[in-house]
Amino acid sequence: MTGECEKSKRLTPFQQKVFAALQRIPKGKVTTYADLSRLLKVRSPRAIGQALKTNPFAPAIPCHRVVRSDRTIGGYLGKTGGAELAQKRQQLLAEGIFFDPETQKIPEYQIIRFSSP
DNA sequence: CATGTGACGCCTG
DNA sequence: CCAGGCGCCACAT
């Protein structure tokens, strides 16, 4: 058996930085991709999403606590819809985060805004 | 080294 | 308020 099917699952330094930042988000609160990007001094919030998408430690690493700046839920486990999103909602509800019954958006006061330009 | 693809965000109309 | 368009950064090919 010499078949090397190993797919190098090691994390990039950037991902480690993002995951480290995630761990400082207290349970019961959420942050946004944009805020994380500011915190990490990255100009594109997209890069944050790219890192989170490959998070092999979810939900131990709480990537479910990251939502979009427009207060919609964002994605989970590499998907922007479907069962994965339902899981993210469930995770958030389990931590006491809930959604506006009208818009399905997360109320502003549940979002931590760390950045300050 | 060049190109394409996003779990995004902001600006305009 | 909603839709469309552009910018931006990391990563896979």
Side-chain angles (χ1 to χ4, degrees):
Chain A
M1 296 82 101
T2 52
E4 247 73 45
C5 295
E6 291 299 308
K7 237 303 171 44
S8 293
K9 302 200 175 187
R10 64 202 159 73
L11 304 175
T12 67
F14 182 72
Q15 287 175 314
Q16 298 196 27
K17 224 168 148 185
V18 174
F19 297 152
L22 274 182
Q23 300 192 46
R24 59 187 267 170
I25 304 171
K27 181 178 168 190
K29 296 281 179 167
V30 297
T31 189
T32 68
Y33 299 99
D35 259 43
L36 275 177
S37 68
R38 285 198 174 226
L39 189 66
L40 301 181
K41 299 294 190 282
V42 177
R43 284 202 233 256
S44 177
R46 281 194 156 187
I48 302 296
Q50 289 290 10
L52 295 185
K53 150 180 174 181
T54 62
N55 174 10
F57 305 111
I61 299 289
C63 51
H64 58 277
R65 293 182 193 150
V66 187
V67 300
R68 300 183 17 161
S69 284
D70 64 2
R71 287 172 286 156
T72 55
I73 187 170
Y76 194 57
L77 302 180
K79 312 291 190 219
T80 57
E84 292 78 10
L85 256 296
Q87 261 188 275
K88 184 170 179 177
R89 283 178 216 263
Q90 199 54 62
Q91 283 279 349
L92 292 172
L93 288 172
E95 298 189 355
I97 305 289
F98 57 91
F99 306 85
D100 185 286
E102 295 288 310
T103 63
Q104 280 289 283
K105 293 188 179 186
I106 294 178
E108 191 75 48
Y109 62 85
Q110 298 185 119
I111 304 179
I112 296 181
R113 304 282 186 177
F114 311 87
S115 42
S116 56

